[in-house]
Amino acid sequence: MSINAFPNFRYHPDPVATGNVGPSTITCRVCQQARGYVYLRDAIHAGREDYSEQICPWCIADGRAASALDIAFACSLDIDESVSETALEELSLRTPGYVSFQGQKWLAHCSDICRFLGDPSVEQVSQASAATIEAWCAANGTDEAVWLELASDYVPGADIGFYTFECLHCGLIQFHVDAT
Ligand SMILES: [Zn+2]
Ligand SMILES: [Zn+2]
C-alpha cells in the first residue's frame, strides 16, 4: 500500500465519492503496485479490451496510464470552443471519467471545464438557483417548464440522471440531465 496522498483531480475532485474510483487490493497494470484504489470504469479506446478495475488513480493523474496504454478517460465531444487545448487534454488524459445513461458529457463555464461533483440530492435539484435553471434552459434550447418537469421526476438512481458540475471560476452549479 502506498502512503502517497490521493491524487488531486482538477475536474473530478472526489472520484471515490462519485463512485468512479473505489478501494481495491488490485495491482495496477501500469505501475505494478497495489496502491489501495482502482478506477472502476473502462477507459476510452478503440479496442475491445475492458480496462475497468485495472488502473490506479495515481497513474491516471500523472498521465502514465494514458500514454502507456494509448487510452483516454474522460471526454466531451461538444464542449465549449473557448476551452483551451490544455484543459481538454487534462480532462481526457488525466481525469477519471464517470458513467451516465447516454455517455459522458462534461459542462464548461468561464472558458474552462467545470468540476464534476456526481449525482445531486433531490434537494439540490429542487432548490436549483435561477442561474442554474437559466443555464440549463439555454444549453438545451428549452424553457423552465421542461426543467420543472424533469426536476420533479428526479429520484437518485432511477431512470432520469442528473450530474452536477461546478464552475471553478464563478461557482455556478450546472446540471447535465439524461435518461435511460
Ligand atoms: Zn498505477
Ligand atoms: Zn463560471
Side-chain angles (χ1 to χ4, degrees):
M1 293 279 263
S2 170
I3 54 163
N4 289 2
F6 197 82
N8 177 32
F9 296 106
R10 177 175 173 83
Y11 300 122
H12 197 162
D14 195 346
V16 177
T18 66
N20 294 289
V21 169
S24 170
T25 56
I26 246 160
T27 299
C28 170
R29 69 181 277 169
V30 180
C31 64
Q32 308 295 327
Q33 295 179 62
R35 306 185 78 169
Y37 286 93
V38 74
Y39 182 47
L40 300 171
R41 310 305 181 192
D42 194 6
I44 299 165
H45 53 89
R48 289 190 174 175
E49 196 165 0
D50 184 338
Y51 290 92
S52 48
E53 298 189 46
Q54 296 184 28
I55 299 167
C56 79
W58 287 266
C59 287
I60 297 178
D62 65 12
R64 281 178 72 187
S67 58
L69 303 170
D70 195 21
I71 54 178
F73 297 98
C75 85
S76 190
L77 298 175
D78 55 352
I79 214 149
D80 200 302
E81 282 172 12
S82 65
V83 172
S84 72
E85 282 299 322
T86 315
L88 289 172
E89 198 176 282
E90 173 156 359
L91 178 70
S92 67
L93 303 181
R94 297 191 298 277
T95 302
Y98 73 98
V99 167
S100 65
F101 294 122
Q102 306 294 338
Q104 289 180 50
K105 179 174 171 65
W106 291 71
L107 301 182
H109 200 253
C110 293
S111 303
D112 198 359
I113 297 160
C114 297
R115 59 184 197 160
F116 175 62
L117 301 180
D119 294 357
S121 65
V122 169
E123 291 70 31
Q124 285 169 322
V125 170
S126 65
Q127 292 165 15
S129 72
T132 294
I133 297 172
E134 197 176 306
W136 185 84
C137 292
N140 292 280
T142 185
D143 57 38
E144 200 173 333
V146 179
W147 165 268
L148 291 172
E149 194 179 322
L150 286 168
S152 67
D153 286 347
Y154 174 57
V155 177
D159 52 5
I160 297 176
F162 277 70
Y163 314 94
T164 315
F165 290 86
E166 182 181 38
C167 177
L168 286 154
H169 305 278
C170 74
L172 176 70
I173 296 288
Q174 294 187 87
F175 295 111
H176 168 53
V177 182
D178 74 358
T180 52

